[in-house]
Every structure is written in structure tokens, then in C-alpha cells.
């Protein structure tokens, strides 16, 4: 399943591979899928045969989440369905952290595709048949870990669900089942570390050698990765995916940013304002293997930077330096300086006495004002060193407030650390 031949294709052959997949998908989708057919006809693409080359592809209209949400407001499952409803076998839903949740249907073929994409993620992190992969996640509507679970099984590893358990029970399961791979959000890996510390359990003594993080960015932030790796005595790998898109980004053993799986996705990086191709801008993706409910030229809302050197692992897939740099709609403007919450997290996590944090944003006229609330463990040297590090990194002074242990919420799924007051 891990396809090194595919991952090291020369650029021209990779483009040819993508073109074959894209043409086949368009022939299946155009005229059958009401959402895409209406969108393309409005843009002048009367039939799939009108798409003759990459120039035509780049003229296809961009799509965004708001359109999909609006579409589902009119019909509960929306119109992005290439086949009759009976053909679909899975229903999932986005977490709804940014607006109304989106429902998404998969056919058996697209569910198998999800498992294949997760195979790249897990194999990239070094997971092998024989590994025991634990998912401390309450298996609800969120697709990410369900697909990861299928990926582990398809890879030939032992997939172990960790739903319906509290953190302490999960730690006991990890120990007694001799789990070697942990798949969860970075926030939850940190929370399990706290739980272990409070109970006097040294997690570096466990058999876990690899952690893979999905659901939110974070493992790509150096200070977060360091904290997870030190606490677990394991190597921590970032991964990026979206319910509506699929599992598209993964790290290799170099841990040098996210590779986009270009055998299953087409990646473009565009200026969010002008739409021109750029090295740093918004990631726009097309998936190639989810024919029943595809997304084509989809604006992810994620800011990324394309690495300009090849990866030492030998993969030719494009690499996003530093992973997802931030959500474009999460960006704060503090006294004229653009600040991503992930940049604040990158500083806060360097301080071992901070267990959890929250970013409070106050609107002051047209300006955002920010206070960083940190939950401290044990004795602290006071807020000043953290404040100075924030100023040195971000170039602005932010207020820092300390709160007592247990004051801030913990999250199993997507952490909600930016709070608007
Ligand atoms: Zn690599």
C-alpha cells in the first residue's frame, strides 16, 4: 500500500498521472453531480470533454466552504452527490468549529480511498504491519479518526479503538496492550501527558514509539512537537486532512513539513486576493479519488509556504514548509501586526510550566487586542519571561495572565483556544 514508486515520480510523470485521474473523474462527475455540473456550466464548461489541458483546469472556478454550507441549507445532504443516495455507505460531519457543520457521504469506493490515503500518512510516519495503533477518540461523527482507523487496518497494523474511556483508562489500555502508535490530536497527546504526570506514570517507559496527530495543526509547531516527543519518548508526526477533502498531508521520517499526497490530490498555492500562483498563500486542493462527493479547486482557508528544496527522503511530492501556518480566518491583526494563534502557541509551549493556554481576543474599535491566559503547573517564574519571548518572536507586546491548574478546558477533538470576548 505504501507506494514508493508513486511517491518518487518525476514531475512530468506525476502530472500525467494526475491528468489521467482528473479526466476520468470529470467524465464521471460532469452531467451527473448537480453541484459541480451547475457550477461548471455557469463558468462555461459545457461538458467534461471541454477540459483539454491544465490551462482549462486552472480556469475552473474556485469553490469554498460557504457554497457547500449554503447548498446543504437547501437540501439536508446537499447536491454534491454523483450517484443516487443508495450508493453511499458512510455519513460523517465536520465539527462545526467554524460555522454550520457540513455533512458528507462516502461510497464504498471512496471509503476505501480514505483508507489508502491514511496508509500514506501512517507509512510516512514509519508505522508497519505488526504495530499496535491506538485511537483515544470517542468515535462520533468526525471522520478523521474513523478513516485513520481504516488506514491502520488496511496497512496491516492492529487498530485499537479507544472510545468510551476516560484518560486514565486509556493510559492503562496503552500500557497493558503494549501500544506502539498513538493517533490523536496534539492537544490530547499533551493532555494524556498531564494525566500521566499527575498519577506519577512515566510515559517514556511505555512502548509507544510513534505518535501521529490529526484533527488540528500543532504537531508541526516545533515547541509542541518537542513537548510531545519528550513526554512520550516517541517521534511525533503532523498530518493534515479535512472532512470535505480527505487525508492529504503527511510527514516523512525527515519531519520537515507536510508532503501533499499528489498521487491523490492536486495542490495549488494561490494569493487569496488575486488568485495568482504564489509560493506562500492559500492552499487550494482537488481530490482525485472521491468520485461520489468530490471537491475540486477547493479553497482550504489554510495558509502554507511551498518548500524550495527537495526533501531528503526522496519523495517528489510537494512539501509545505512548517505545515499549515494558520487558518486565514483565524489571523489576528494586533496593532497592525498579523498574528496567527499558532505562532503564539509556538512560543507558549516552550515554557514547561504552562500546562494549557487560551487566547482572549478583544475587539477595540477596528483593532484586535489579545490577552494570553496561561494555566500554570507548580511554581512559575512569573509571566515576564513568556511575555518577553512573545515580544521577541511576534514583535508586539501581549498581556499575559496566569490562572490556577484546572481552570482552562481540555479537548479530545479540536481545541478551541481562541476566545472572542
Ligand atoms: Zn520527505
Amino acid at each position: 500500500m505504501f507506494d514508493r514508486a508513486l511517491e518518487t515520480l518525476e514531475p512530468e510523470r506525476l502530472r500525467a498521472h494526475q491528468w489521467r485521474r482528473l479526466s476520468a473523474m470529470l467524465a464521471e462527475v460532469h452531467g451527473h453531480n448537480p453541484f459541480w455540473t451547475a457550477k461548471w456550466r455557469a463558468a462555461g464548461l459545457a461538458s467534461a470533454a471541454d477540459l483539454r489541458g491544465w490551462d482549462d483546469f486552472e480556469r475552473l472556478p474556485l469553490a469554498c466552504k460557504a457554497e457547500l454550507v449554503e447548498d446543504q441549507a437547501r437540501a439536508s445532504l446537499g447536491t454534491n452527490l454523483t450517484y443516487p443516495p443508495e450508493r453511499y455507505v458512510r455519513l460523517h460531519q465536520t465539527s462545526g468549529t467554524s460555522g454550520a457543520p457540513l455533512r458528507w457521504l462516502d461510497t464504498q469506493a471512496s471509503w476505501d480511498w480514505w483508507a489508502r490515503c491514511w496508509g500514506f500518512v501512517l507509512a510516512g510516519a514509519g508505522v508497519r504491519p505488526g504495530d499496535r495503533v491506538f485511537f483515544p477518540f470517542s468515535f462520533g461523527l468526525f471522520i478523521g479518526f474513523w478513516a485513520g482507523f481504516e488506514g491502520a487496518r488496511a496497512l496491516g497494523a492492529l487498530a485499537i479503538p479507544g472510545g468510551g474511556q476516560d484518560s486514565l483508562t486509556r493510559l492503562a489500555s496503552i500500557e497493558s496492550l503494549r501500544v506502539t502508535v498513538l493517533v490523536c490530536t496534539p492537544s490530547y497527546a499533551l493532555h494524556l501527558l498531564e494525566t500521566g504526570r499527575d498519577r506519577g506514570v512515566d510515559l517514556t517507559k511505555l512502548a509507544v514509539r510513534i505518535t501521529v496527530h490529526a484533527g488540528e495543526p500543532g504537531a508541526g509547531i516545533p515547541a509542541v512537537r518537542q513537548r510531545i516527543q519528550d513526554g512520550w519518548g516517541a517521534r511525533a508526526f503532523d498530518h493534515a486532512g479535512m472532512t470535505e477533502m480527505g487525508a492529504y498531508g503527511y510527514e516523512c521520517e525527515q519531519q520537515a513539513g507536510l508532503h501533499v499526497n499528489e498521487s491523490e490530490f492536486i495542490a495549488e498555492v494561490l494569493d487569496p486576493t488575486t488568485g495568482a500562483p504564489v509560493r506562500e498563500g492559500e492552499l487550494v486542493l482537488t481530490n482525485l479519488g472521491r468520485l461520489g462527493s468530490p471537491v475540486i479547486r477547493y479553497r482550504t482557508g489554510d495558509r502554507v509556504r511551498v518548500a524550495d528544496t527537495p526533501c531528503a527522503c526522496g519523495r517528489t511530492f510537494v512539501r509545505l514548509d512548517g505545515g499549515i501556518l494558520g487558518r486565514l480566518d483565524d489571523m489576528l491583526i494586533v496593532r497592525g501586526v498579523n498574528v496567527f494563534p499558532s505562532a503564539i502557541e509556538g512560543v507558549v509551549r516552550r515554557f514547561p510550566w504552562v500546562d494549557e493556554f487560551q487566547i482572549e481576543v478583544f475587539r477595540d474599535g477596528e483593532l484586535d487586542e489579545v490577552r494570553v491566559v496561561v494555566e500554570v503547573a507548580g511554581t512559575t517564574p512569573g509571566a515576564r519571561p513568556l511575555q518577553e519571548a512573545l515580544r521577541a518572536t511576534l514583535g508586539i507586546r501581549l498581556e499575559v495572565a496566569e490562572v490556577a491548574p484546572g481552570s482552562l478546558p481540555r479537548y479530545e477533538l479540536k481545541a478551541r483556544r481562541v476566545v472572542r470576548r
Side-chain angles (χ1 to χ4, degrees):
M1 101 139 23
F2 168 49
D3 199 334
R4 190 160 276 281
L6 212 49
E7 294 186 80
T8 57
L9 275 182
E10 288 156 24
E12 312 81 69
R13 296 188 57 202
L14 183 59
R15 285 301 255 182
H17 166 90
Q18 289 179 328
W19 185 257
R20 278 195 303 277
R21 302 283 305 276
L22 180 68
S23 309
M25 175 170 75
L26 256 65
E28 187 87 355
V29 170
H30 202 307
H32 298 108
N33 181 309
F35 180 85
W36 295 104
T37 305
K39 193 171 167 65
W40 292 335
R41 287 205 172 127
L45 191 82
S47 82
D50 288 348
L51 192 94
R52 294 190 186 87
W54 286 106
D55 288 350
D56 293 333
F57 173 74
E58 282 156 20
R59 278 195 291 271
L60 287 178
L62 297 176
C64 65
K65 188 171 183 183
E67 286 170 76
L68 297 166
V69 169
E70 200 184 298
D71 180 54
Q72 292 196 355
R74 289 193 292 268
S76 66
L77 297 173
T79 63
N80 181 11
L81 299 172
T82 309
Y83 310 114
E86 315 79 78
R87 283 278 298 274
Y88 295 81
V89 299
R90 307 273 321 194
L91 184 144
H92 291 276
Q93 187 170 302
T94 60
S95 62
T97 38
S98 54
L102 265 180
R103 284 174 286 271
W104 216 269
L105 292 175
D106 278 290
T107 62
Q108 185 60 53
S110 63
W111 192 244
D112 293 343
W113 171 82
W114 263 102
R116 192 162 73 240
C117 293
W118 259 93
F120 283 82
V121 177
L122 296 170
V127 179
R128 297 185 295 261
D131 266 313
R132 297 178 175 192
V133 189
F134 188 68
F135 295 80
F137 166 65
S138 50
F139 283 77
L141 278 167
F142 177 69
I143 199 167
F145 296 106
W146 282 102
F149 193 82
E150 290 294 310
R153 179 192 59 76
L155 188 78
L158 182 65
I160 308 169
Q165 300 176 5
D166 61 17
S167 296
L168 213 54
T169 314
R170 283 169 171 163
L171 281 181
S173 298
I174 291 168
E175 185 171 16
S176 64
L177 297 171
R178 296 199 57 77
V179 164
T180 56
V181 180
L182 180 71
V183 182
C184 60
T185 64
S187 298
Y188 196 68
L190 293 171
H191 176 55
L192 284 177
L193 281 182
E194 273 181 68
T195 308
R197 185 196 61 204
D198 294 347
R199 297 290 168 140
V201 184
D202 179 359
L203 302 194
T204 65
K205 299 278 194 293
L206 301 176
V208 175
R209 63 184 181 88
I210 291 170
T211 67
V212 179
H213 301 292
E216 51 174 27
I221 301 171
V224 176
R225 189 201 304 272
Q226 197 62 49
R227 189 182 277 216
I228 295 171
Q229 295 196 147
D230 292 349
W232 283 92
R235 292 186 78 198
F237 294 85
D238 195 11
H239 153 63
M242 299 171 87
T243 301
E244 58 273 46
M245 178 58 61
Y248 68 85
Y250 63 99
E251 279 193 316
C252 65
E253 71 275 9
Q254 300 292 322
Q255 295 175 303
L258 289 169
H259 284 288
V260 177
N261 181 353
E262 290 188 279
S263 62
E264 299 294 345
F265 300 86
I266 297 168
E268 301 170 84
V269 180
L270 305 180
D271 182 308
T273 315
T274 66
V278 284
R279 288 203 85 76
E280 180 170 341
E282 181 174 6
L283 181 63
V284 171
L285 290 171
T286 298
N287 56 19
L288 297 169
R290 208 181 188 185
L291 275 55
S293 50
V295 277
I296 295 138
R297 300 203 82 210
Y298 186 67
R299 298 185 65 162
T300 62
D302 288 327
R303 190 171 185 88
V304 297
R305 181 173 53 236
V306 176
D308 45 19
T309 50
C311 189
C313 73
R315 285 177 180 80
T316 48
F317 289 174
V318 68
R319 184 163 54 98
L320 307 174
D321 211 1
I324 305 300
L325 303 177
R327 296 277 313 158
L328 288 161
D329 48 9
D330 282 351
M331 194 178 74
L332 306 166
I333 303 175
V334 186
R335 275 160 270 144
V337 177
N338 296 349
V339 181
F340 280 114
S342 54
I344 295 176
E345 177 160 21
V347 177
V348 170
R349 295 292 191 198
R350 284 189 232 148
F351 293 83
W353 44 270
V354 176
D355 262 355
E356 200 37 273
F357 77 103
Q358 201 166 60
I359 299 167
E360 293 183 338
V361 184
F362 306 87
R363 196 79 174 160
D364 182 12
E366 280 305 296
L367 302 173
D368 287 329
E369 204 41 67
V370 166
R371 176 162 63 200
V372 182
V373 180
V374 293
E375 186 185 309
V376 296
T379 54
T380 81
R384 182 162 289 274
L386 172 55
Q387 203 169 35
E388 279 167 7
L390 285 166
R391 193 203 322 238
T393 306
L394 307 173
I396 42 170
R397 189 185 170 282
L398 299 181
E399 189 189 337
V400 174
E402 289 185 15
V403 293
S407 311
L408 295 176
R410 300 294 194 272
Y411 300 91
E412 181 188 280
L413 196 48
K414 287 177 196 288
R416 213 181 276 234
R417 293 209 178 81
V418 179
V419 180
R420 295 192 180 265
R421 300 280 186 213

